[in-house]
Amino acid sequence: MSGKVTVDNWNVDDTARVMYRGAQWDVDLAAGERPVPGVYIIKEVQGSRLIVRRA
C-alpha cells in the first residue's frame, strides 16, 4: 500500500489517528522518524495501523 496522509497532531506515545480512504486509521512512525505535524508517506500496513515516514 502506498499513499500519503497528513498528521496534524501526534500523541505523547508517538501515535496518531488520521482519515485515510474514508476511514480512521491508527498511525505509527517508522524507525528513526520524529513525531512532527505534516505530510507522511505510508511505508507499510500492520493490521489496522499505518506505518509512516516523512514525505
Side-chain angles (χ1 to χ4, degrees), residues 3-7 10 29-30 33-34 36-43 51-55:
K4 292 182 182 180
V5 294
T6 299
V7 178
W10 287 96
L29 291 165
E33 296 288 333
R34 292 182 36 227
V36 296
V39 177
Y40 286 81
I41 296 170
I42 299 168
K43 181 178 172 188
I51 310 303
V52 300
R53 64 177 173 82
R54 281 291 273 177

Side-chain angles (χ1 to χ4, degrees), residues 8-49:
D8 295 323
N9 297 304
W10 287 96
N11 299 317
V12 295
D13 63 353
D14 295 344
T15 64
R17 294 275 290 169
V18 298
M19 182 66 78
Y20 180 68
R21 293 191 176 181
Q24 287 285 323
W25 289 74
D26 294 317
V27 177
D28 284 329
L29 291 165
E33 296 288 333
R34 292 182 36 227
V36 296
V39 177
Y40 286 81
I41 296 170
I42 299 168
K43 181 178 172 188
E44 67 179 285
V45 178
Q46 293 180 352
S48 64
R49 298 182 98 58

